Amino acid sequence: MKKIIGIGGNLMFDAAGMFPGYPRAYVNHDYVAAVKAAGAVPLVLPVLSDAECVERQLSVVDGLIITGGYDVNPLLFAEEPHKLLGETLKERDDFDLLLIKTARRLGLPVLGICRGLQILNVEAGGNLYQDCSEDDKCYVRHWQGSNPAQATHTVSILEDSWLYSIFGTKTETNSFHHMSIKKIADRYKAVAWAADGTVEGIESVEGPFAAGVQWHPEMMHRQEKMLALFKSFVSKT
């Protein structure tokens, strides 16, 4: 029987049309396509605030993906908003935090993608650069702006890590982020870095398996080496 992978959802608000401001539940379809291509059943989990509902959501899945989206609210790591901070959404932050806590309690494997990596780190007590410009070492272009399936920079990977078992010591990735990890939480270790030292991958050192990547492998899943990441994650469930 195929495994079921829960995909944490997002909220968007119509900017125009018949119902300006109208909220819609969604995920980018590449998440769904990547999970299906990896041999599992994708199940989109809409944003909810009710803990009982979230536990019921997760009771029917074998693994969880925390997706990209809004910036993480810096108040969650005791910082005031930087002038370059993008749009945040409390409902999304609350939902992701609840998903992570519940998944850990239920023993579910978790994969965080882009924002997903960031919120995994924040939930465990780490913090973030609110913009890559805050990091004096940062010089790589981390927001490529277009061509989402195209790799635009390299990532070096620590041996004896989960990511190493998939990619070896180096891979090429796309890049669509302006926040990044500053202090990594004790629950995780950094296992992958861009050439400027920006953390591109983390893995749990305690508790159920959890990992995060700063790039968007779902947008590159039509390439076999990136689809291998999702296949490997499904095998963890």
Side-chain angles (χ1 to χ4, degrees):
M1 184 177 295
K2 290 185 176 183
K3 299 294 182 69
I4 300 174
I5 303 298
I7 303 171
N10 207 349
L11 282 174
M12 67 184 299
F13 300 87
D14 288 353
M18 291 180 63
F19 308 110
Y22 194 77
R24 297 182 186 273
Y26 85 104
V27 296
N28 289 337
H29 187 69
D30 271 340
Y31 290 106
V32 174
V35 169
K36 184 176 183 297
V41 177
L43 183 64
V44 178
L45 309 177
V47 174
L48 295 170
S49 60
D50 184 282
E52 184 177 356
C53 288
V54 168
E55 179 152 359
R56 187 70 180 98
Q57 283 181 330
L58 294 184
S59 72
V60 300
V61 306
D62 300 293
L64 172 67
I65 293 175
I66 307 291
T67 59
Y70 296 94
D71 280 4
V72 177
N73 191 330
L75 295 178
L76 293 174
F77 46 92
E79 290 187 12
E80 294 296 323
H82 188 279
K83 62 184 178 181
L84 295 178
L85 184 71
E87 185 177 1
T88 63
L89 186 70
K90 184 178 188 303
E91 292 92 336
R92 178 67 196 278
D93 287 333
D94 291 347
F95 178 56
D96 281 356
L97 293 171
L98 186 54
L99 280 176
I100 295 165
K101 292 178 188 297
T102 307
R104 187 168 64 252
R105 181 163 49 80
L106 296 177
L108 292 174
V110 177
L111 172 63
I113 293 177
C114 197
R115 169 198 158 88
L117 168 144
Q118 296 164 7
I119 197 75
L120 280 172
N121 186 56
V122 169
E123 188 275 335
N127 62 18
L128 306 172
Y129 291 111
Q130 295 185 46
D131 186 78
C132 288
S133 63
E134 289 190 291
D135 182 359
D136 293 338
K137 303 185 302 299
C138 178
Y139 68 85
V140 170
R141 185 183 183 188
H142 290 283
W143 186 275
Q144 68 190 60
S146 60
N147 301 321
Q150 177 179 306
T152 59
H153 73 71
T154 60
V155 169
S156 297
I157 299 170
L158 183 71
E159 291 187 20
D160 299 322
S161 64
W162 175 61
L163 289 179
Y164 175 81
S165 73
I166 301 166
F167 298 111
T169 58
K170 184 168 284 191
T171 191
E172 297 177 353
T173 69
N174 57 10
S175 199
F176 294 95
H177 68 100
H178 81 110
M179 301 184 88
S180 60
I181 287 181
K182 180 164 51 177
K183 173 183 175 290
I184 193 165
D186 291 342
R187 190 183 302 148
Y188 298 98
K189 65 178 180 179
V191 297
W193 301 265
D196 59 6
T198 298
V199 175
E200 293 280 341
I202 63 173
E203 296 177 18
S204 55
V205 296
E206 60 184 51
F209 175 81
V213 294
Q214 186 58 80
W215 68 92
H216 278 273
E218 81 286 357
M219 291 177 168
M220 300 176 70
H221 78 272
R222 293 165 187 84
Q223 301 174 27
E224 186 58 38
K225 66 177 183 179
M226 212 54 76
L227 179 59
L229 183 146
F230 290 95
K231 289 180 176 179
S232 182
F233 178 67
V234 170
S235 75
K236 292 277 190 185
T237 64

